Amino acid sequence: MKKNSSHPIRVVIVDDHLMVRRGLATFLKVFKDFKLVGEADTGESAIKLCEKLQPDVVLMDMVMQSMDGAAATRLIRKQCPSTQIIALTSFKDDILVKSALQSGAISYLLKGVSANELAQAIRAAHVGRPTISAEATEALIQAASQDVVPVIDLTEREHEVLILMVEGLTNTQIAARLTVSPATIKSHFSSILAKLGVASRTEAVALALRHKLAS
């Protein structure tokens, strides 16, 4: 669908670092065809904000506390299908790239991108054209040449927890859903990370999506 070019592109920034949000806000003010309409510092608040504002483009950090960028992207795209999301992160790991794109992000850029390159990516996303950084593309190509499905021995309960992690639930929410204590979920969480060979919730969710472990 062709976008109306007579109005500025309405942008929301999602990042858990205040200085990053301030920097991006300053960047947006330089361009007359962009309008910053909101900011969020968590995935949960980003979902509520986007549902309320229905922005054109979201600049989404991928690695955040609690709900990560991929989970937030998936839910925003479900609730706001006309909103395009640009994954903007410091990491070029192929698992994160795949996770972001599979969740519905139209573009994947590193935070070291130039102002003009980011501006062009926002304009492209607004009309439905993807932009993938060269580093992210290289990571995907390298991964494709050595992609082996890992053998992972999760218990039935750990698999249930992993599924809920992929859905974007926090440990506290998972505990409530499964009617167990948060301490129990924390123990399962630690075991899942160890068995997957990853160090964070974001990596665990990305690996689960990549190898379809949460189905």
Side-chain angles (χ1 to χ4, degrees):
M1 182 175 68
K2 187 175 181 180
K3 300 285 185 176
N4 188 339
S5 60
S6 63
H7 297 94
I9 299 171
R10 303 170 69 253
V11 181
V12 161
I13 297 169
V14 183
D15 199 291
D16 58 358
H17 290 92
L18 176 60
M19 294 308 295
V20 172
R21 297 199 307 275
R22 284 181 176 174
L24 290 172
T26 300
F27 149 77
L28 291 173
K29 292 177 182 178
V30 174
F31 297 90
K32 293 183 179 180
D33 55 334
F34 301 149
K35 180 180 180 181
L36 176 61
V37 295
E39 298 180 26
D41 59 0
T42 67
E44 294 90 341
S45 58
I47 293 168
K48 294 178 182 178
L49 189 63
C50 288
E51 189 173 15
K52 176 182 177 181
L53 299 177
Q54 298 288 319
D56 298 312
V57 176
V58 175
L59 301 179
M60 176 72 73
D61 186 16
M62 284 290 104
V63 181
M64 297 182 288
Q65 296 296 322
S66 185
M67 179 183 291
D68 62 30
T73 294
R74 186 161 50 251
L75 291 172
I76 290 171
R77 288 289 295 159
K78 182 178 180 180
Q79 296 177 4
C80 315
S82 63
T83 296
Q84 297 289 2
I85 298 178
I86 295 176
L88 187 61
T89 180
S90 301
F91 305 95
K92 60 179 179 180
D93 181 85
D94 67 283
I95 296 178
L96 277 180
V97 179
K98 286 185 177 180
S99 177
L101 299 179
Q102 290 172 352
S103 297
I106 193 171
S107 302
Y108 194 100
L109 299 174
L110 299 184
K111 287 181 178 177
V113 66
S114 72
N116 284 332
E117 288 172 329
L118 181 54
Q120 289 300 327
I122 293 173
R123 296 181 186 117
H126 186 230
V127 295
R129 294 200 308 269
T131 305
I132 310 296
S133 72
E135 296 90 345
T137 301
E138 181 181 358
L140 289 175
I141 292 173
Q142 290 179 346
S145 65
Q146 54 187 17
D147 202 9
V148 178
V149 178
V151 177
I152 299 169
D153 186 24
L154 296 179
T155 66
E156 182 177 349
R157 177 61 91 185
E158 288 168 350
H159 187 244
E160 289 179 315
V161 173
L162 181 60
I163 290 174
L164 295 176
M165 286 168 58
V166 170
E167 290 180 8
L169 274 65
T170 64
N171 284 0
T172 301
Q173 291 169 331
I174 294 173
R177 177 76 67 88
L178 299 180
T179 61
V180 297
S181 71
T184 297
I185 296 303
K186 185 177 181 179
S187 177
H188 287 317
F189 176 71
S190 297
S191 179
I192 290 169
L193 294 189
K195 289 182 178 181
L196 296 184
V198 298
S200 70
R201 177 183 295 268
T202 297
E203 290 179 293
V205 169
L207 187 66
L209 289 169
R210 176 179 177 181
H211 294 296
K212 300 180 180 178
L213 302 176
S215 57

